[in-house]
Coordinates of all heavy atoms in Angstrom, one line a residue:
M195 N 112.3 118.9 126.0 CA 111.6 118.7 124.8 C 112.5 119.3 123.7 O 113.0 120.5 123.9 CB 110.2 119.3 124.8 CG 109.5 119.2 123.5 SD 107.9 119.9 123.5 CE 107.0 118.8 124.5
T196 N 112.6 118.7 122.6 CA 113.4 119.2 121.5 C 112.4 119.6 120.4 O 111.5 119.0 120.1 CB 114.3 118.0 120.9 OG1 115.2 117.7 122.0 CG2 115.1 118.6 119.8
A197 N 112.8 120.8 119.7 CA 111.9 121.3 118.6 C 112.1 120.4 117.4 O 113.2 119.8 117.1 CB 112.3 122.7 118.2
V198 N 111.0 120.1 116.7 CA 111.0 119.5 115.4 C 111.7 120.4 114.4 O 111.1 121.4 114.1 CB 109.6 119.0 115.0 CG1 109.7 118.3 113.6 CG2 109.0 118.0 116.0
T199 N 112.8 120.0 113.9 CA 113.5 120.8 112.9 C 113.4 120.4 111.5 O 113.9 121.0 110.6 CB 115.0 121.0 113.3 OG1 115.6 119.6 113.3 CG2 115.1 121.6 114.7
R200 N 112.8 119.3 111.3 CA 112.6 118.8 109.9 C 111.4 117.9 109.9 O 110.7 117.6 110.9 CB 113.8 118.0 109.5 CG 114.1 116.9 110.3 CD 115.6 116.5 110.0 NE 116.2 116.0 111.2 CZ 116.5 114.8 111.5 NH1 116.4 113.9 110.5 NH2 117.0 114.5 112.6
S201 N 111.0 117.4 108.7 CA 109.8 116.6 108.6 C 110.0 115.3 107.8 O 109.0 114.7 107.4 CB 108.7 117.4 108.0 OG 109.1 118.0 106.8
C202 N 111.2 114.8 107.8 CA 111.5 113.6 107.1 C 112.5 112.8 108.0 O 113.5 113.3 108.4 CB 112.2 113.9 105.7 SG 112.3 112.5 104.6
F203 N 112.1 111.6 108.3 CA 112.9 110.8 109.2 C 113.2 109.4 108.6 O 112.3 108.7 108.2 CB 112.1 110.5 110.5 CG 111.7 111.9 111.2 CD1 110.5 112.5 110.8 CD2 112.6 112.5 112.1 CE1 110.2 113.7 111.4 CE2 112.3 113.7 112.6 CZ 111.1 114.3 112.3
R204 N 114.5 109.1 108.5 CA 115.0 107.8 108.0 C 115.1 106.8 109.0 O 115.6 107.0 110.2 CB 116.4 108.1 107.3 CG 116.4 109.2 106.3 CD 117.7 109.7 105.9 NE 118.5 110.2 107.1 CZ 119.7 109.9 107.4 NH1 120.5 109.2 106.6 NH2 120.3 110.4 108.5
A205 N 114.8 105.6 108.6 CA 114.8 104.5 109.6 C 115.8 103.4 109.1 O 115.9 103.1 107.9 CB 113.4 103.8 109.7
G206 N 116.5 102.8 110.0 CA 117.5 101.7 109.8 C 118.2 101.3 111.0 O 117.8 101.8 112.2
R207 N 119.2 100.4 110.9 CA 119.9 99.9 112.1 C 121.0 100.8 112.6 O 121.4 100.8 113.8 CB 120.5 98.5 111.8 CG 119.5 97.4 111.8 CD 120.3 96.1 111.6 NE 120.9 96.0 110.3 CZ 122.2 95.6 110.1 NH1 122.9 95.2 111.1 NH2 122.6 95.6 108.9
A208 N 121.5 101.6 111.7 CA 122.7 102.5 112.0 C 122.4 103.5 113.1 O 121.2 104.1 113.1 CB 123.3 103.1 110.8
P209 N 123.3 103.8 114.0 CA 123.0 104.8 115.0 C 122.9 106.3 114.4 O 122.4 107.2 115.1 CB 124.2 104.7 115.9 CG 125.3 104.0 115.2 CD 124.6 103.1 114.2
T210 N 123.3 106.4 113.2 CA 123.1 107.7 112.5 C 121.7 107.9 112.0 O 121.4 109.1 111.5 CB 124.2 107.9 111.4 OG1 123.9 106.8 110.5 CG2 125.5 107.8 111.9
M211 N 120.8 107.0 112.0 CA 119.5 107.1 111.5 C 118.6 107.9 112.4 O 118.9 107.9 113.6 CB 118.8 105.7 111.3 CG 119.5 104.9 110.2 SD 119.2 105.5 108.5 CE 120.6 106.6 108.3
D212 N 117.6 108.5 112.0 CA 116.7 109.3 112.8 C 115.8 108.3 113.7 O 115.5 108.6 114.8 CB 115.8 110.1 111.9 CG 116.5 111.1 111.0 OD1 117.3 111.8 111.5 OD2 116.3 111.0 109.8
I213 N 115.5 107.2 113.1 CA 114.7 106.1 113.8 C 115.6 104.9 113.8 O 115.9 104.4 112.7 CB 113.4 105.9 113.1 CG1 112.5 107.1 113.0 CG2 112.7 104.7 113.8 CD1 111.3 107.0 112.1
V214 N 116.2 104.5 114.9 CA 117.1 103.4 115.0 C 116.3 102.2 115.4 O 115.7 102.2 116.5 CB 118.2 103.8 115.9 CG1 119.2 102.5 116.1 CG2 119.1 105.0 115.5
I215 N 116.5 101.1 114.6 CA 115.8 99.8 115.0 C 117.0 98.9 115.1 O 117.4 98.2 114.2 CB 114.8 99.4 113.9 CG1 113.8 100.5 113.7 CG2 114.1 98.1 114.4 CD1 112.9 100.3 112.5
A216 N 117.6 98.8 116.3 CA 118.8 98.0 116.6 C 118.4 96.5 116.8 O 117.2 96.2 117.3 CB 119.5 98.6 117.8
G217 N 119.3 95.7 116.5 CA 119.2 94.3 116.8 C 118.5 93.4 115.8 O 118.4 92.2 115.9
D218 N 117.9 94.0 114.8 CA 117.2 93.2 113.7 C 118.1 93.3 112.5 O 118.1 94.3 111.7 CB 115.9 93.9 113.4 CG 115.0 93.0 112.4 OD1 115.7 92.2 111.7 OD2 113.8 93.3 112.2
T219 N 118.9 92.3 112.2 CA 119.9 92.3 111.2 C 119.3 92.2 109.8 O 120.0 92.3 108.7 CB 120.9 91.2 111.3 OG1 120.3 89.9 111.5 CG2 121.7 91.4 112.6
S220 N 117.9 91.9 109.7 CA 117.3 91.9 108.4 C 116.9 93.3 107.9 O 116.3 93.5 106.8 CB 116.0 91.0 108.4 OG 115.1 91.4 109.4
I221 N 117.1 94.3 108.8 CA 116.9 95.7 108.4 C 118.2 96.3 107.9 O 119.2 96.1 108.5 CB 116.4 96.5 109.7 CG1 115.0 95.9 110.1 CG2 116.3 98.0 109.4 CD1 114.5 96.6 111.4
S222 N 118.1 97.0 106.8 CA 119.3 97.7 106.3 C 119.9 98.7 107.3 O 119.1 99.3 108.1 CB 118.9 98.4 105.0 OG 118.5 97.6 104.0
R223 N 121.2 98.9 107.2 CA 121.7 99.8 108.2 C 121.2 101.2 108.0 O 121.0 101.9 109.0 CB 123.3 99.8 108.0 CG 124.0 98.7 108.6 CD 125.5 98.9 108.4 NE 126.4 97.7 108.5 CZ 126.3 96.6 107.9 NH1 125.3 96.3 107.1 NH2 127.2 95.7 108.0
E224 N 121.1 101.6 106.8 CA 120.7 103.0 106.5 C 119.5 103.0 105.5 O 119.5 102.2 104.5 CB 121.8 103.8 105.9 CG 123.0 103.9 106.9 CD 124.1 104.8 106.4 OE1 124.2 105.1 105.1 OE2 124.8 105.3 107.2
N225 N 118.6 103.9 105.7 CA 117.5 104.2 104.8 C 116.7 103.1 104.4 O 116.3 102.9 103.2 CB 118.0 105.0 103.6 CG 118.7 106.2 103.9 OD1 118.4 106.9 104.8 ND2 119.8 106.6 103.2
H226 N 116.3 102.2 105.3 CA 115.4 101.1 105.0 C 114.0 101.7 104.6 O 113.4 101.1 103.7 CB 115.3 100.1 106.1 CG 114.6 98.8 105.7 ND1 115.4 97.6 105.6 CD2 113.5 98.5 105.4 CE1 114.6 96.6 105.2 NE2 113.4 97.1 105.1
A227 N 113.5 102.6 105.4 CA 112.2 103.3 105.1 C 112.3 104.7 105.5 O 113.2 105.1 106.3 CB 111.1 102.6 105.9
V228 N 111.3 105.5 105.1 CA 111.3 106.9 105.4 C 109.9 107.3 105.9 O 108.9 106.9 105.2 CB 111.7 107.8 104.2 CG1 111.6 109.3 104.6 CG2 113.1 107.5 103.7
I229 N 109.8 108.0 107.0 CA 108.5 108.5 107.4 C 108.6 110.1 107.3 O 109.6 110.7 107.8 CB 108.2 108.2 108.9 CG1 108.0 106.7 109.1 CG2 107.0 109.0 109.5 CD1 107.7 106.2 110.5
S230 N 107.7 110.6 106.7 CA 107.6 112.1 106.4 C 106.3 112.7 107.0 O 105.3 112.0 107.1 CB 107.7 112.4 105.0 OG 106.6 111.9 104.3
Y231 N 106.5 113.9 107.5 CA 105.3 114.6 108.0 C 105.1 115.9 107.2 O 106.1 116.7 106.9 CB 105.7 115.0 109.5 CG 104.6 115.9 110.2 CD1 103.3 115.4 110.4 CD2 104.9 117.2 110.5 CE1 102.3 116.2 110.9 CE2 103.9 118.1 111.0 CZ 102.7 117.6 111.2 OH 101.7 118.3 111.8
N232 N 103.9 116.1 106.8 CA 103.6 117.4 106.0 C 103.0 118.4 106.9 O 101.8 118.2 107.4 CB 102.6 117.0 104.9 CG 102.2 118.2 104.0 OD1 102.3 119.3 104.5 ND2 101.9 117.9 102.8
P233 N 103.7 119.4 107.3 CA 103.2 120.3 108.4 C 102.1 121.2 107.8 O 101.4 121.8 108.6 CB 104.5 121.2 108.7 CG 105.4 121.0 107.5 CD 105.1 119.7 106.9
K234 N 101.9 121.3 106.5 CA 100.9 122.1 106.0 C 99.5 121.4 106.1 O 98.5 122.0 106.3 CB 101.2 122.5 104.5 CG 102.3 123.4 104.4 CD 102.5 123.8 102.9 CE 103.7 124.8 102.8 NZ 103.8 125.2 101.4
R235 N 99.6 120.1 105.9 CA 98.3 119.3 105.9 C 98.2 118.4 107.2 O 97.2 117.8 107.4 CB 98.3 118.4 104.7 CG 98.2 119.1 103.5 CD 98.1 118.1 102.3 NE 98.2 118.8 101.0 CZ 97.1 119.1 100.2 NH1 96.0 118.5 100.5 NH2 97.3 119.7 99.1
H236 N 99.3 118.4 108.0 CA 99.3 117.6 109.2 C 99.1 116.2 109.0 O 98.3 115.5 109.6 CB 98.3 118.2 110.3 CG 98.4 119.6 110.5 ND1 99.6 120.1 111.1 CD2 97.6 120.7 110.3 CE1 99.5 121.5 111.2 NE2 98.2 121.8 110.7
T237 N 99.7 115.7 108.0 CA 99.6 114.3 107.6 C 101.0 113.6 107.5 O 102.0 114.2 107.5 CB 99.0 114.1 106.2 OG1 99.7 114.9 105.3 CG2 97.6 114.6 106.1
F238 N 101.0 112.2 107.6 CA 102.2 111.5 107.6 C 102.2 110.6 106.3 O 101.2 110.1 105.9 CB 102.3 110.6 108.8 CG 102.6 111.4 110.1 CD1 101.5 111.9 110.8 CD2 103.9 111.6 110.5 CE1 101.7 112.5 112.0 CE2 104.1 112.3 111.7 CZ 102.9 112.8 112.4
N239 N 103.4 110.2 105.8 CA 103.5 109.2 104.8 C 104.7 108.3 105.1 O 105.6 108.7 105.8 CB 103.9 110.0 103.4 CG 102.7 110.6 102.8 OD1 101.8 109.8 102.4 ND2 102.7 111.9 102.7
L240 N 104.6 107.1 104.6 CA 105.7 106.1 104.7 C 106.1 105.8 103.4 O 105.3 105.5 102.5 CB 105.1 104.8 105.4 CG 106.1 103.7 105.5 CD1 107.3 104.0 106.5 CD2 105.4 102.5 106.1
A241 N 107.4 105.7 103.1 CA 108.0 105.4 101.8 C 109.1 104.4 102.0 O 109.8 104.4 103.0 CB 108.5 106.7 101.2
P242 N 109.3 103.5 101.0 CA 110.4 102.6 101.0 C 111.7 103.5 100.9 O 111.7 104.5 100.2 CB 110.2 101.7 99.9 CG 109.3 102.4 98.9 CD 108.5 103.4 99.8
G243 N 112.7 103.0 101.5 CA 114.0 103.7 101.4 C 114.9 102.9 100.4 O 114.5 102.3 99.4
D244 N 116.2 103.1 100.6 CA 117.2 102.5 99.6 C 117.7 101.1 100.0 O 118.4 100.5 99.3 CB 118.5 103.4 99.6 CG 118.2 104.8 99.2 OD1 117.2 105.0 98.5 OD2 118.9 105.8 99.7
G245 N 117.1 100.6 101.1 CA 117.4 99.3 101.6 C 117.1 98.2 100.7 O 116.2 98.4 99.8
R246 N 117.7 97.1 100.8 CA 117.4 95.9 100.0 C 116.2 95.1 100.4 O 115.6 94.4 99.7 CB 118.6 95.0 99.8 CG 119.3 94.6 101.2 CD 120.6 94.0 100.9 NE 121.3 93.9 102.1 CZ 121.3 93.0 103.1 NH1 120.4 92.0 102.9 NH2 122.0 93.1 104.2
G247 N 115.8 95.3 101.7 CA 114.6 94.6 102.2 C 113.4 95.3 101.9 O 113.3 96.5 101.6
L248 N 112.2 94.6 102.0 CA 110.9 95.2 101.7 C 110.3 95.9 103.0 O 110.8 95.5 104.1 CB 109.9 94.2 101.3 CG 110.2 93.5 99.9 CD1 109.2 92.4 99.6 CD2 110.1 94.6 98.8
T249 N 109.4 96.8 102.8 CA 108.7 97.4 104.0 C 107.2 97.2 103.6 O 106.8 97.2 102.5 CB 109.0 99.0 104.0 OG1 110.3 99.2 104.1 CG2 108.2 99.6 105.0
Y250 N 106.5 96.8 104.7 CA 105.1 96.5 104.6 C 104.3 97.5 105.5 O 104.7 97.9 106.5 CB 104.8 95.2 105.1 CG 105.4 94.0 104.3 CD1 106.7 93.6 104.5 CD2 104.7 93.5 103.2 CE1 107.3 92.6 103.7 CE2 105.2 92.5 102.4 CZ 106.6 92.1 102.7 OH 107.1 91.1 101.9
L251 N 103.1 98.0 104.9 CA 102.2 98.8 105.6 C 100.9 98.1 105.7 O 100.3 97.7 104.7 CB 102.0 100.1 104.9 CG 101.0 101.1 105.4 CD1 101.4 101.5 106.8 CD2 101.0 102.4 104.6
N252 N 100.5 97.7 107.0 CA 99.3 96.9 107.2 C 99.3 95.7 106.4 O 98.3 95.3 105.8 CB 98.0 97.8 107.0 CG 98.0 99.0 107.9 OD1 98.4 98.9 109.0 ND2 97.6 100.1 107.3
D253 N 100.4 95.0 106.3 CA 100.6 93.7 105.7 C 100.6 93.8 104.2 O 100.8 92.8 103.4 CB 99.5 92.6 106.1 CG 99.7 92.3 107.5 OD1 100.8 92.2 108.0 OD2 98.7 92.0 108.2
D254 N 100.6 95.1 103.6 CA 100.7 95.3 102.1 C 102.2 95.7 101.8 O 102.7 96.6 102.5 CB 99.7 96.3 101.6 CG 98.3 95.8 101.7 OD1 98.1 94.6 101.5 OD2 97.4 96.6 101.9
E255 N 102.7 95.1 100.8 CA 104.1 95.6 100.3 C 104.0 97.0 99.9 O 103.1 97.5 99.2 CB 104.5 94.6 99.1 CG 105.8 94.9 98.6 CD 106.1 94.0 97.4 OE1 105.3 93.2 97.1 OE2 107.2 94.2 96.9
L256 N 105.0 97.7 100.4 CA 105.1 99.2 100.1 C 106.1 99.4 99.0 O 107.3 99.2 99.1 CB 105.5 99.9 101.4 CG 105.5 101.4 101.3 CD1 104.0 101.9 101.2 CD2 106.1 102.0 102.6
L257 N 105.6 99.8 97.8 CA 106.5 100.0 96.7 C 106.7 101.5 96.4 O 107.5 101.9 95.7 CB 105.9 99.4 95.4 CG 105.7 97.9 95.5 CD1 105.0 97.3 94.3 CD2 107.1 97.2 95.8
A258 N 105.7 102.4 97.0 CA 105.9 103.9 96.8 C 105.3 104.5 98.0 O 104.7 103.8 98.9 CB 105.1 104.3 95.5
A259 N 105.5 105.8 98.2 CA 105.0 106.5 99.4 C 103.5 106.3 99.5 O 102.7 106.3 98.5 CB 105.3 107.9 99.3
A260 N 103.0 106.1 100.8 CA 101.6 105.9 101.1 C 101.3 106.6 102.3 O 102.1 106.7 103.2 CB 101.3 104.4 101.2
P261 N 100.0 107.1 102.4 CA 99.6 107.7 103.7 C 99.7 106.9 104.9 O 99.5 105.6 104.7 CB 98.1 108.1 103.4 CG 98.0 108.1 101.9 CD 99.0 107.0 101.4
L262 N 100.1 107.4 106.0 CA 100.3 106.7 107.2 C 99.2 107.2 108.2 O 99.2 108.4 108.5 CB 101.8 106.9 107.7 CG 102.3 106.0 108.8 CD1 102.1 104.6 108.5 CD2 103.7 106.4 109.1
A263 N 98.4 106.3 108.8 CA 97.3 106.7 109.7 C 97.7 106.2 111.1 O 98.5 105.3 111.3 CB 96.0 106.2 109.2
P264 N 97.1 106.9 112.1 CA 97.3 106.4 113.4 C 97.0 104.9 113.6 O 96.0 104.4 113.1 CB 96.3 107.3 114.3 CG 96.2 108.5 113.5 CD 96.2 108.0 112.1
Y265 N 97.8 104.2 114.3 CA 97.8 102.8 114.6 C 97.9 101.9 113.4 O 97.6 100.7 113.5 CB 96.4 102.5 115.3 CG 96.2 103.5 116.5 CD1 95.3 104.5 116.5 CD2 97.1 103.4 117.6 CE1 95.2 105.4 117.6 CE2 97.1 104.3 118.7 CZ 96.1 105.3 118.6 OH 96.0 106.2 119.7
D266 N 98.4 102.4 112.3 CA 98.8 101.5 111.2 C 100.0 100.6 111.7 O 100.8 101.1 112.6 CB 99.3 102.3 110.0 CG 98.2 102.8 109.1 OD1 97.1 102.3 109.3 OD2 98.4 103.7 108.2
T267 N 100.2 99.5 111.1 CA 101.4 98.7 111.4 C 102.4 98.7 110.3 O 102.0 98.7 109.1 CB 101.0 97.2 111.6 OG1 100.3 96.7 110.5 CG2 100.1 97.0 112.9
I268 N 103.6 98.9 110.7 CA 104.7 99.0 109.8 C 105.7 97.8 110.1 O 106.0 97.5 111.2 CB 105.6 100.3 110.0 CG1 104.7 101.5 109.8 CG2 106.8 100.3 109.1 CD1 105.3 102.8 110.4
E269 N 105.9 97.0 109.0 CA 106.8 95.8 109.2 C 108.1 96.1 108.4 O 108.0 96.3 107.2 CB 106.1 94.6 108.7 CG 106.8 93.3 109.1 CD 106.0 92.1 108.8 OE1 104.7 92.2 108.6 OE2 106.5 91.0 108.7
I270 N 109.2 96.1 109.1 CA 110.5 96.3 108.5 C 111.4 95.1 109.0 O 111.5 95.0 110.2 CB 111.1 97.7 108.9 CG1 110.2 98.8 108.6 CG2 112.5 97.8 108.3 CD1 110.7 100.2 109.0
G271 N 111.9 94.4 108.0 CA 112.7 93.1 108.5 C 111.8 92.3 109.3 O 110.7 91.9 108.9
A272 N 112.3 91.8 110.4 CA 111.5 91.0 111.3 C 110.8 91.8 112.4 O 110.1 91.2 113.3 CB 112.5 90.0 112.0
S273 N 110.8 93.1 112.3 CA 110.3 94.0 113.3 C 108.9 94.5 112.9 O 108.8 94.9 111.7 CB 111.2 95.2 113.6 OG 112.4 94.7 114.1
K274 N 108.0 94.4 113.8 CA 106.6 94.9 113.4 C 106.4 96.1 114.4 O 106.5 95.9 115.6 CB 105.6 93.8 113.6 CG 104.3 94.1 113.0 CD 103.5 92.9 112.9 CE 102.3 93.1 111.9 NZ 101.6 91.9 111.6
L275 N 106.0 97.2 113.9 CA 105.9 98.5 114.7 C 104.5 99.0 114.5 O 103.9 99.0 113.5 CB 106.9 99.5 114.2 CG 108.3 99.0 114.0 CD1 109.2 100.0 113.2 CD2 109.0 98.8 115.4
L276 N 104.0 99.7 115.6 CA 102.7 100.4 115.6 C 103.0 101.8 115.5 O 103.7 102.4 116.3 CB 102.0 100.0 116.9 CG 100.5 100.6 117.0 CD1 99.6 100.0 116.0 CD2 100.1 100.3 118.4
F277 N 102.3 102.5 114.5 CA 102.6 103.9 114.3 C 101.6 104.7 115.2 O 100.3 104.6 115.1 CB 102.3 104.4 112.9 CG 102.5 105.9 112.7 CD1 103.7 106.4 112.8 CD2 101.4 106.6 112.3 CE1 103.8 107.8 112.5 CE2 101.5 107.9 112.1 CZ 102.7 108.6 112.2
V278 N 102.2 105.6 116.2 CA 101.3 106.3 117.1 C 101.9 107.7 117.0 O 102.9 108.0 117.5 CB 101.5 105.8 118.6 CG1 100.6 106.7 119.5 CG2 101.1 104.4 118.7
P279 N 101.1 108.6 116.2 CA 101.6 110.0 116.0 C 101.4 110.8 117.3 O 100.4 110.7 118.0 CB 100.8 110.5 114.9 CG 99.5 109.7 114.9 CD 99.9 108.4 115.5
F280 N 102.3 111.8 117.5 CA 102.1 112.7 118.6 C 101.7 114.1 118.2 O 101.6 115.0 119.0 CB 103.5 112.9 119.4 CG 103.8 111.6 120.1 CD1 104.9 110.8 119.8 CD2 103.1 111.2 121.2 CE1 105.2 109.7 120.4 CE2 103.4 110.0 121.9 CZ 104.5 109.3 121.5
C281 N 101.3 114.2 116.9 CA 100.7 115.4 116.4 C 99.8 114.9 115.2 O 99.9 113.8 114.6 CB 101.7 116.4 116.0 SG 102.9 115.9 114.8
G282 N 98.9 115.8 114.8 CA 98.0 115.5 113.7 C 97.0 116.6 113.5 O 97.3 117.8 113.7
E283 N 95.8 116.3 113.1 CA 94.8 117.3 112.6 C 94.4 118.2 113.8 O 94.2 119.3 113.6 CB 93.6 116.5 112.1 CG 92.7 117.2 111.2 CD 91.7 116.4 110.6 OE1 92.0 115.7 109.7 OE2 90.5 116.4 111.2
R284 N 94.3 117.6 115.0 CA 93.8 118.3 116.2 C 94.9 119.0 117.0 O 94.6 119.8 117.9 CB 93.0 117.4 117.1 CG 91.8 117.0 116.4 CD 90.9 116.1 117.3 NE 89.8 115.6 116.6 CZ 88.9 114.8 117.1 NH1 89.1 114.4 118.3 NH2 87.9 114.5 116.4
F285 N 96.2 118.5 116.8 CA 97.3 119.1 117.6 C 98.6 119.0 116.9 O 98.8 118.0 116.2 CB 97.4 118.3 119.0 CG 98.6 118.9 119.7 CD1 98.6 120.1 120.5 CD2 99.8 118.2 119.7 CE1 99.7 120.5 121.1 CE2 101.0 118.7 120.4 CZ 100.8 119.8 121.1
T286 N 99.3 120.0 116.9 CA 100.6 120.0 116.2 C 101.6 120.9 116.8 O 101.3 121.9 117.5 CB 100.5 120.3 114.6 OG1 101.7 120.2 114.0 CG2 100.0 121.8 114.5
W287 N 102.9 120.7 116.7 CA 104.0 121.6 117.1 C 104.4 122.3 115.8 O 104.5 121.6 114.7 CB 105.2 120.8 117.6 CG 104.9 120.2 119.0 CD1 104.9 120.8 120.2 CD2 104.6 118.8 119.2 NE1 104.7 119.9 121.2 CE2 104.5 118.7 120.6 CE3 104.4 117.7 118.4 CZ2 104.2 117.5 121.2 CZ3 104.1 116.5 119.0 CH2 104.0 116.4 120.4
P288 N 104.8 123.5 115.9 CA 105.3 124.2 114.7 C 106.6 123.6 114.3 O 107.4 123.2 115.2 CB 105.5 125.6 115.1 CG 105.3 125.7 116.6 CD 104.6 124.4 117.0
V289 N 106.9 123.4 113.0 CA 108.2 123.0 112.5 C 109.1 124.1 112.5 O 108.9 125.1 111.9 CB 108.0 122.3 111.1 CG1 109.4 121.9 110.6 CG2 107.1 121.1 111.1
A290 N 110.2 123.9 113.3 CA 111.2 125.0 113.5 C 112.1 125.1 112.2 O 112.3 124.1 111.5 CB 112.1 124.7 114.6
P291 N 112.5 126.3 111.8 CA 113.4 126.4 110.6 C 114.7 125.7 110.8 O 115.1 125.6 112.0 CB 113.5 127.9 110.4 CG 113.2 128.5 111.7 CD 112.2 127.5 112.4
P292 N 115.4 125.2 109.8 CA 116.7 124.6 110.0 C 117.7 125.6 110.6 O 117.7 126.7 110.4 CB 117.1 124.2 108.6 CG 115.9 124.3 107.7 CD 115.0 125.2 108.5
V293 N 118.5 125.0 111.5 CA 119.5 125.8 112.2 C 120.7 125.9 111.2 O 121.2 124.9 110.7 CB 120.0 125.1 113.5 CG1 121.1 126.0 114.2 CG2 118.8 125.0 114.4
A294 N 121.2 127.2 111.0 CA 122.3 127.4 110.1 C 123.6 127.0 110.8 O 123.7 127.0 112.0 CB 122.4 128.9 109.9
G295 N 124.5 126.4 110.0 CA 125.7 126.0 110.6 C 126.3 124.8 110.0 O 126.8 124.0 109.8

């Protein structure tokens, strides 16, 4: 198990992304969308990234950051994803401080 060292995760096709969605060429290589976790409130948000394509949350176009709830659907390019959090109001892992270096 790896400690969570940050609370912002970028999604795209590139292998350097935190969330890699390979094989869907309609997704931007980098920063198509961003999922963030607020460790103080134990909540998630979805925001559009710098990509040229749209991101949809539960079939609604995402133009600004919006709350992300368990089992919401995220549509990026031709890919449709189900959001299943592994932490939340009832369970969480502590967010580790960034490693210097």
Side-chain angles (χ1 to χ4, degrees):
M195 179 181 288
T196 303
V198 175
T199 57
R200 60 199 143 110
S201 52
C202 194
F203 302 91
R204 302 167 301 139
R207 285 186 294 133
T210 56
M211 294 290 93
D212 305 306
I213 301 167
V214 178
I215 306 170
D218 184 345
T219 57
S220 60
I221 295 175
S222 297
R223 283 185 198 52
E224 297 184 341
N225 301 327
H226 193 110
V228 177
I229 294 177
S230 63
Y231 174 67
N232 181 332
K234 292 183 179 183
R235 295 181 187 250
H236 308 297
T237 57
F238 292 88
N239 283 294
L240 176 66
D244 303 330
R246 50 190 160 88
L248 294 174
T249 299
Y250 294 88
L251 177 58
N252 299 321
D253 293 323
D254 291 325
E255 182 180 357
L256 188 67
L257 299 175
L262 193 54
Y265 309 108
D266 277 348
T267 56
I268 302 167
E269 194 171 340
I270 301 174
S273 298
K274 199 164 193 175
L275 311 165
L276 181 68
F277 177 68
V278 181
F280 290 110
C281 57
E283 203 173 281
R284 295 183 183 175
F285 176 79
T286 186
W287 290 279
V289 175
V293 177

